Amino acid sequence: MARYVANRLAQAIMLLVIVSAIGFAILHLAPGGPLSQFAASAQMTQEDLDRVTRQLGLDRSLPIQYLDWFGRMLRGDWGRSYRDGEAVLAVISSHLGATLELMATATIIAVLLGCWIGVLGALRRYSLFDSLATVGAMIALSIPTFWFGLVTIYVFSVKLGWLPAGNRQTVGDGSLLDLLHHLIAPALVLALVETAMWGRFMRSSMLEVINQDYIRTARAKGMPEWRILTVHALRNALLPMITVGGLQFPTLLGGALVAETVFTWPGMGRLFLDSIGYRDYPVVMGILMFSAIMVLIGSLLADILYAVVDPRIRVG
């Protein structure tokens, strides 16, 4: 088990280095460059730009800049924002709670609803419910998140007035009820695609399990159907979903970026787009690395958990 974990950890670290190098190169080679924010000021002279270039170390070669940045990142110094000089980690941490709140709520909704739809669809294969669930999943997977978010705002906020059109809370009201009221729309929009995916994967996994020999043997022994489904079928059908959960994390993170933008949710996704608009490259790079670390940790934990529940995985 230790060797398996070490191999997965080494692969994750190698992938993180590759992602950081590619992201760093793209940001610094993009049109405008890191100095575009400073050059936009009318008070900046060429001498001032040259001084800022030396202070930021931008007069060195790109590989040297990357190695210096990566070394400082490993020591916990992720740089400072060009906008206000605040530490990048402090900027990210101030928006992280809102993103985790949105993602956690959407995940709970998607897992519970998706697994229920998948199990019921497998048990009632080719029924009306299964057909409607399949069509609904295809529609959900085809609808862009931003479009569904805009439709939700138009129907439930503009026309019906049931839900707020955006933001995390009402100004001057920080009650739990107000927070939940603002959370409903973005969480449901973000959970839409995830529910469809979980439902499809769960249906396929459940169909594979209920056709196994041990399920037929349990039925032949006279075991109650509810016990067969809960103890034997559902338990084994959930095993592949552990890996699915790890693979779904990047999709969830990308969807959160879109949902936060549409609903002006003050999370990392909104911060990412604002930082790109302001050419605040230290914050953009920090969010990119933080997101990559979160994705790799989620994938690594899924692999380890799957290996714990199914020892056969460790053999490879």
Side-chain angles (χ1 to χ4, degrees):
M1 183 64 181
R3 183 179 179 181
Y4 175 84
V5 174
N7 290 334
R8 290 295 184 269
L9 184 60
Q11 294 173 8
I13 294 175
M14 185 180 301
L15 185 58
L16 184 64
V17 173
I18 295 174
V19 169
S20 66
I22 294 176
F24 190 89
I26 291 176
L27 284 180
H28 283 72
L29 296 177
L35 290 176
S36 58
Q37 178 65 18
F38 300 98
S41 175
Q43 287 75 28
M44 293 291 290
T45 64
Q46 185 60 44
E47 291 76 11
D48 294 331
L49 288 176
D50 293 338
R51 185 179 67 256
V52 172
T53 301
R54 291 191 299 270
Q55 290 175 348
L56 297 178
L58 299 176
D59 55 338
R60 298 173 296 175
S61 64
L62 191 60
I64 298 299
Q65 293 182 49
Y66 168 73
L67 291 176
D68 178 64
W69 170 83
F70 194 78
R72 288 187 287 106
M73 186 196 70
L74 293 178
R75 296 192 300 269
D77 181 11
W78 289 33
R80 292 190 171 274
S81 170
Y82 289 164
R83 296 176 62 182
D84 51 19
E86 190 175 358
V88 171
L89 283 178
V91 175
I92 293 176
S93 62
S94 64
H95 293 77
L96 180 60
T99 296
L100 293 180
E101 176 186 320
L102 179 60
M103 291 176 60
T105 305
T107 300
I108 292 174
I109 295 173
V111 171
L112 294 179
L113 188 57
C115 287
W116 176 76
I117 293 174
V119 170
L120 197 58
L123 297 179
R124 300 180 180 180
R125 190 178 183 184
Y126 302 133
S127 65
L128 178 60
F129 175 85
D130 187 33
S131 300
L132 292 176
T134 301
V135 173
M138 294 302 103
I139 294 176
L141 293 172
S142 303
I143 296 178
T145 303
F146 75 90
W147 184 87
F148 187 67
L150 293 175
V151 171
T152 301
I153 292 175
Y154 178 76
V155 174
F156 294 100
S157 301
V158 177
K159 290 298 183 180
L160 299 177
W162 292 353
L163 298 173
N167 295 320
R168 192 182 182 188
Q169 63 185 43
T170 304
V171 178
D173 185 357
S175 63
L176 178 60
L177 185 61
D178 181 66
L179 292 174
L180 293 176
H181 194 210
H182 284 77
L183 181 62
I184 293 174
L188 289 177
V189 169
L190 183 57
L192 175 68
V193 175
E194 299 298 315
T195 300
M197 290 184 176
W198 277 92
R200 292 294 88 194
F201 282 123
M202 191 63 196
R203 179 183 182 275
S204 299
S205 180
M206 194 67 176
L207 281 174
E208 182 178 353
V209 168
I210 60 178
N211 291 321
Q212 296 295 321
D213 291 338
Y214 62 87
I215 297 295
R216 287 192 288 267
T217 302
R219 287 197 176 102
K221 289 181 177 180
M223 185 177 294
E225 188 68 18
W226 67 267
R227 184 174 178 82
I228 294 174
L229 294 177
T230 56
V231 177
H232 297 284
L234 185 59
R235 182 179 178 181
N236 288 280
L238 286 173
L239 290 179
M241 305 307 292
I242 298 174
T243 304
V244 171
L247 297 176
Q248 288 291 89
F249 194 80
T251 305
L252 185 65
L253 196 59
L257 188 152
V258 177
E260 288 178 2
T261 303
V262 173
F263 289 95
T264 60
W265 189 263
M268 288 176 55
R270 183 60 185 268
L271 174 65
F272 182 76
L273 292 181
D274 289 344
S275 299
I276 290 178
Y278 280 97
R279 300 294 195 274
D280 196 349
Y281 287 167
V283 176
V284 173
M285 195 64 199
I287 295 175
L288 175 64
M289 290 305 301
F290 192 85
S291 302
I293 292 173
M294 291 177 64
V295 170
L296 291 175
I297 289 177
S299 178
L300 183 62
L301 291 177
D303 288 342
I304 294 174
L305 184 57
Y306 198 96
V308 170
V309 298
D310 191 349
R312 296 172 297 175
I313 303 299
R314 311 172 203 168
V315 178

